[in-house]
Amino acid sequence: MAGTYCLRNCRTGNVSSLLADLLFSRLSFLLIMSHYSISPLTFGNLNTYSIHDRHSKVTVDDFATPLRPGMLVSELVKCLPGQLMGIDFPEFICRTAEAFKADKPILLGMGAHVIKVGLNPILIGLMQRGILSGIALNGAGIIHDAEIAMAGRTSEEVADVLGAGAFGAARETGEILNQAIVMGANEGLGIGESVGKVLNDNNFPHNDQSLLAMAYRLHIPVTVHVAMGTDIIHIHPGADGAAIGKAGHQDFRLFCTLVSSLQQGVYLNVGSAVLLPEVFLKALTVVRNLGFEVKQFTTANFDFIRHYRPATNVVHRPNLEGGKGYNFTGHHELMLPLMAAALLDAIDKA
């Protein structure tokens, strides 16, 4: 600091201003020099190139097209940017429409949340048009679907009743479903067909909103894949483990039959993070083991977050021998109506 003070005074004396400024800057640099042993790298000799000579992953040709009122869904899909899901979604719709035109199966495996967010009417519409060839559910799926058929309502508030031990104790749900499963096991039926039959036999007031009841009427196979202890009907006195196992295994074998014809077809996994991706992978390996040609087909996973098993067991591994898989992230109540509407437009246009 003393040197700095001296130089500043010199600048007003007989020493030239230029020399004073030079000495002042050099001395100031020495006084504030970093204690590191390295110096910052300089970029003066960087080799550059023209942006016009470089490959770019995004161009204006990939941008979205402006929207206008009154567009068809197919027109909206064409307006999507040519990037990421803007490429994958139209391609998936096209492959699914082509599978339908070629009379190849389109199978849906789904978790119960799809039912809980009110999408049964859209899926029933696809069944009525012959687009869905079969549906695979987990155990919760038959609970919510049957309650919709019986009462037009489902999904209790668990936090409000768990403390009293009342969660899952709805009498009608336990009685109807367990009776259906026992009946089906005795008659050699799977869980899905048994429940669909019982719902229709009872002529419940909201059967027209039930996947199982409507699939039974339309002769569309519904298979149910249960993990023991995961569903509320397993705590009811009418639960029969042997019947659940027998009817559930019947459904797995039926599902394997559906998968055996999946060549050039489509498999959708919607809202099942663990159970159905595992079931699908086991069905796929057994049909290949038995000599069925199931290598060229399309798979897609729809869920509001990405999980390991759907990405691996539905999208990636099954298509290592051919075909293609897609992963779409978004809420079911938005993505499934969009998918269904786009598919209906593509089929109608074809």
Side-chain angles (χ1 to χ4, degrees):
M1 294 300 294
T4 301
Y5 178 78
C6 177
L7 278 174
R8 283 176 174 168
N9 286 338
C10 287
R11 292 179 66 181
T12 61
N14 297 327
V15 182
S16 70
S17 297
L18 181 61
L19 179 60
D21 287 343
L22 179 62
L23 290 174
F24 175 74
S25 62
R26 288 293 180 86
L27 185 55
S28 297
F29 172 76
L30 292 174
L31 289 173
I32 63 173
M33 179 182 291
S34 169
H35 67 279
Y36 294 151
S37 61
I38 61 173
S39 301
L41 191 66
T42 59
F43 304 135
N45 294 322
L46 180 73
N47 295 313
T48 62
Y49 52 81
S50 171
I51 188 174
H52 300 290
D53 298 329
R54 184 198 71 192
H55 169 70
S56 298
K57 295 187 290 183
V58 181
T59 75
V60 293
D61 294 334
D62 303 322
F63 279 17
T65 304
L67 306 181
R68 57 176 175 77
M71 297 178 72
L72 297 174
V73 177
S74 57
E75 294 173 326
L76 170 64
V77 170
K78 288 182 179 179
C79 290
L80 297 176
Q83 290 288 327
L84 304 174
M85 295 301 105
I87 296 174
D88 284 357
F89 187 74
E91 185 177 283
F92 165 73
I93 294 297
C94 180
R95 291 173 71 102
T96 306
E98 289 175 353
F100 176 76
K101 286 170 51 184
D103 199 28
K104 300 300 180 181
I106 300 174
L107 305 179
L108 169 64
M110 53 175 270
H113 194 70
V114 179
I115 299 170
K116 292 170 63 175
V117 296
L119 294 174
N120 278 15
I122 290 173
L123 299 177
I124 291 170
L126 295 180
M127 287 195 293
Q128 290 171 329
R129 290 175 172 86
I131 295 172
L132 289 181
S133 312
I135 298 177
L137 299 174
N138 59 13
I142 65 170
I143 292 168
H144 293 296
D145 190 75
E147 289 187 344
I148 289 294
M150 292 187 291
R153 62 179 68 187
T154 189
S155 193
E156 59 189 311
E157 190 64 64
V158 178
D160 291 347
V161 293
L162 184 61
F167 169 54
R171 181 176 59 259
E172 296 87 349
T173 305
E175 289 178 351
I176 290 293
L177 290 178
N178 281 313
Q179 289 170 8
I181 293 169
V182 172
M183 177 276 295
N186 290 334
E187 296 183 7
L189 304 178
I191 297 175
E193 186 175 3
S194 302
V195 174
K197 182 179 186 303
V198 166
L199 294 179
N200 279 286
D201 287 348
N202 282 275
N203 195 28
F204 287 120
H206 301 285
N207 275 349
D208 61 335
Q209 300 294 314
S210 161
L211 292 178
L212 288 148
M214 293 302 295
Y216 185 82
R217 295 180 191 177
L218 295 166
H219 305 283
I220 294 174
V222 176
T223 61
V224 180
H225 307 273
V226 174
M228 187 62 72
T230 60
D231 304 318
I232 60 170
I233 62 173
H234 300 161
I235 68 174
H236 283 253
D240 185 327
I244 294 170
K246 182 179 180 181
H249 193 252
Q250 175 79 2
D251 268 352
F252 175 65
R253 292 168 56 216
L254 187 62
F255 181 67
C256 290
T257 298
L258 293 171
V259 172
S260 72
S261 63
L262 198 55
Q263 181 78 352
Q264 303 299 331
V266 179
Y267 180 73
L268 306 172
N269 182 77
V270 183
S272 180
V274 177
L275 188 64
L276 291 176
E278 291 293 344
V279 171
F280 175 67
L281 199 69
K282 307 316 183 291
L284 183 60
T285 192
V286 74
V287 300
R288 286 176 173 175
N289 182 283
L290 293 173
F292 292 92
E293 183 74 12
V294 186
K295 294 184 177 180
Q296 295 287 339
F297 58 98
T298 300
T299 62
N301 177 61
F302 286 80
D303 215 336
F304 52 84
I305 59 175
R306 292 196 175 189
H307 297 279
Y308 168 78
R309 281 178 176 81
T312 303
N313 292 355
V314 175
V315 177
H316 176 61
R317 285 174 177 165
N319 294 296
L320 292 175
E321 302 293 321
K324 188 166 184 179
Y326 301 87
N327 213 337
F328 300 109
T329 305
H331 284 272
H332 303 317
E333 58 271 28
L334 296 177
M335 293 299 295
L336 257 66
L338 174 61
M339 183 273 290
L343 180 58
L344 290 172
D345 266 6
I347 290 172
D348 183 65
K349 182 179 179 181

